Amino acid sequence: MKIGILALQGAFREHAAAFDALGVETVFVRLPHHLSGIDAIVLPGGESTTQDKLLDSSGLRAPLTAALDDGVACLATCAGLILLAAEVLDGRPDQRPLDRLDLRVRRNGYGRQVASFEAPLAVEGLDAPFTGVFIRAPRIEHVGESVEVLAEHAGDAVLVRAERIWGAVFHPELSADLRLHQLFVNHCP
Ligand code: GLN
């Protein structure tokens, strides 16, 4: 199995390190041809407004959307989840989410950088709590019917899944805990 990691901006190296530690092959995706032969793609955290623009300048927007529609699995974290959402509040007016997870999200919905925090999360499929690292995290304000909630924090969905597309508002790649990456790999077709 080979996992592509969108490497336009943000915390892509940390995801690569997590999959390396699990013995899973990764490739950085910066151009459309980097998508060929991948089974899954990671959309990392970072800055969704910047990533949104870079999707266009790299020529990746259409081929990435096509790959998702062709059955490539996806793990989207924080800004990556914003890219996949159906609706983004407090985004830039020209931000165009890919609409592949039926969610309404509010950018920076937990506050600014100073309001970043960690919290233990009970995750469906894991025996013991997983420490969620929330950094200027988006807040999920609405979850569509096609989306399953795998973890909540204070009543809000924070880890979700719609078949092979996973989204986390927190940063599993910053936890020194590989269990979420492993869970994702286990569920990849
Ligand atoms: N607030 C950022 C955004 O809107 C996301 C933060 C993150 O990925 N840690 O893109």
Side-chain angles (χ1 to χ4, degrees), residues 5-17:
I5 300 180
L6 186 69
L8 299 174
Q9 188 271 340
F12 51 89
R13 288 183 195 83
E14 291 81 353
H15 277 291

Side-chain angles (χ1 to χ4, degrees), residues 11-36:
F12 51 89
R13 288 183 195 83
E14 291 81 353
H15 277 291
F19 287 114
D20 281 351
L22 293 173
V24 178
E25 184 186 356
T26 58
V27 58
F28 286 141
V29 173
R30 296 192 168 102
L31 292 168
H33 74 267
H34 298 148
L35 292 167
S36 69

Side-chain angles (χ1 to χ4, degrees), residues 74-142:
C74 181
L75 172 63
T77 57
C78 208
L81 173 138
I82 297 172
L83 291 187
L84 281 190
E87 190 183 350
V88 176
L89 304 176
D90 292 342
R92 278 172 35 128
D94 59 351
Q95 198 163 352
R96 288 192 295 142
L98 300 174
D99 190 9
R100 290 302 180 279
L101 265 181
D102 187 7
L103 301 174
R104 182 170 71 238
V105 301
R106 186 175 295 278
R107 285 184 63 228
N108 304 317
Y110 291 91
R112 308 297 308 174
Q113 187 82 19
V114 286
S116 297
F117 63 99
E118 293 188 8
L121 305 171
V123 173
E124 187 114 3
L126 297 183
D127 293 341
F130 188 95
T131 301
V133 178
F134 295 75
I135 303 170
R136 295 185 301 121
R139 194 171 211 144
I140 296 176
E141 294 196 348
H142 175 76

